[in-house]
Amino acid sequence: MPDAVAAALPAFFVSDLHLSDERPDTVDAFLGFLDGPARDAASLFILGDLFEYWAGDDDLDAPFNRHIGAALRAVADHGVQLFFMTGNRDLLAGEGFARATGARLLEDPSLVAFGSGGAPVLLSHGDALCTDDVAYQAYRHQVRDPAWQRGFLSQPLAARKAFIEGLRQKSEMAKREKALDIMDVNADAVAALLRASGYPMLIHGHTHRPARHEHLVDGRTCVRWVLADWHGAASWLRVDGNGVTAHGATTR
């Protein structure tokens, strides 16, 4: 676990927007969020799957990607600290994306400290915690291998996009055949991560199951917040000196 990243409050957290030009309502909601509520934040954390897919930073000049990148840059230029953690859909976003948007890339998982003396918060996309899905974890291990990524990114952009589109279709088919509990986090994996990180509060996305959970780990109570996905409406978690507040999503 790397040292904690320093950030400021209030902090907003979002994930799983799955932006694409096929989802204009969600795109409009995100642009409205960036132009409105997000500018009240001192820090904005995007915890993966911002895009439906990301084929590589050489696709930054595509009109859709350029539009989203410019909107993120405007928020960073406004003075909001922007942090980005890749998810399973946009794991190929790298330094080029960070430079274009003004974002700081975060490792998964990462600890974040808000001021001196405050308890750090642990952040993750969340897919690494879904250990019951053995097939997915094998896939995740493969595509996050640096050698595999270098080889994939050496292919023409059009070939990469065609490959990713095929994976998306296979993924949707596989989801329909899997039990719902397999695609949720594993309690032992969550406990192990909390234990290794010093029993912090954990915020993650990926599962599309927004909720507040409490875990008893080694006699310590740890809170885990799951971020909501976006379906045409903005949804974020706010952390400030008064605690944690969910906006735009119903926890269950």
Side-chain angles (χ1 to χ4, degrees):
M1 180 70 62
D3 293 337
V5 174
L9 295 175
F12 291 7
F13 301 84
V14 301
S15 72
D16 299 284
L17 290 86
H18 295 267
L19 297 178
S20 76
D21 52 13
E22 299 172 357
R23 299 177 177 178
D25 290 350
T26 301
V27 173
D28 289 345
F30 184 57
L31 295 176
F33 169 74
L34 292 180
D35 197 39
R39 299 197 176 213
D40 293 331
S43 307
L44 172 60
F45 293 83
I46 302 172
L47 301 185
D49 288 3
L50 173 64
F51 296 96
E52 178 65 9
Y53 72 89
W54 189 261
D57 288 353
D58 54 341
D59 201 23
L60 272 164
D61 285 334
F64 180 81
N65 296 338
R66 186 169 61 247
H67 185 43
I68 299 300
L72 289 168
R73 166 58 76 172
V75 171
D77 290 346
H78 184 71
V80 179
Q81 291 179 289
L82 185 61
F83 297 89
F84 184 83
M85 178 182 290
T86 61
N88 50 296
R89 298 298 187 106
D90 46 23
L91 60 94
L92 295 174
E95 292 297 336
F97 173 83
R99 286 192 297 271
T101 60
R104 175 174 175 175
L105 298 179
L106 294 177
E107 297 183 25
D108 186 357
S110 283
L111 278 170
V112 179
F114 298 102
S116 60
V121 177
L122 180 62
L123 307 179
S124 176
H125 175 59
D127 59 331
L129 299 171
C130 300
T131 55
D132 292 331
D133 192 341
V134 177
Y136 173 76
Q137 292 301 322
Y139 160 79
R140 185 182 189 277
H141 178 75
Q142 177 190 29
V143 298
R144 288 191 173 268
D145 178 72
W148 185 94
Q149 291 188 5
R150 286 193 298 270
F152 184 72
L153 290 171
S154 70
Q155 299 178 30
L157 180 59
R160 279 179 265 147
K161 288 185 173 182
F163 179 82
I164 291 171
E165 182 58 37
L167 280 183
R168 289 172 61 198
Q169 295 177 9
K170 291 179 181 178
S171 174
E172 291 304 315
M173 293 177 61
K175 284 180 184 177
R176 290 194 287 268
E177 297 174 359
K178 290 179 181 178
L180 290 177
D181 57 343
I182 288 179
M183 293 184 286
D184 203 354
V185 300
N186 175 279
D188 290 338
V190 170
L193 179 60
L194 292 171
R195 181 179 299 114
S197 307
Y199 311 98
M201 179 172 73
L202 169 61
I203 301 174
H204 71 83
H206 180 67
T207 64
H208 300 194
R209 302 178 186 189
R212 179 189 183 277
H213 302 272
E214 291 189 359
H215 298 265
L216 187 63
V217 183
D218 303 335
R220 303 171 185 240
T221 300
C222 302
V223 174
R224 175 172 65 95
W225 285 91
V226 185
L227 300 172
D229 53 328
W230 288 39
H231 287 293
S235 175
W236 69 96
L237 205 67
R238 176 187 173 114
V239 176
D240 57 28
N242 296 316
V244 184
T245 310
H247 293 265
T250 301
T251 58
R252 51 185 182 267

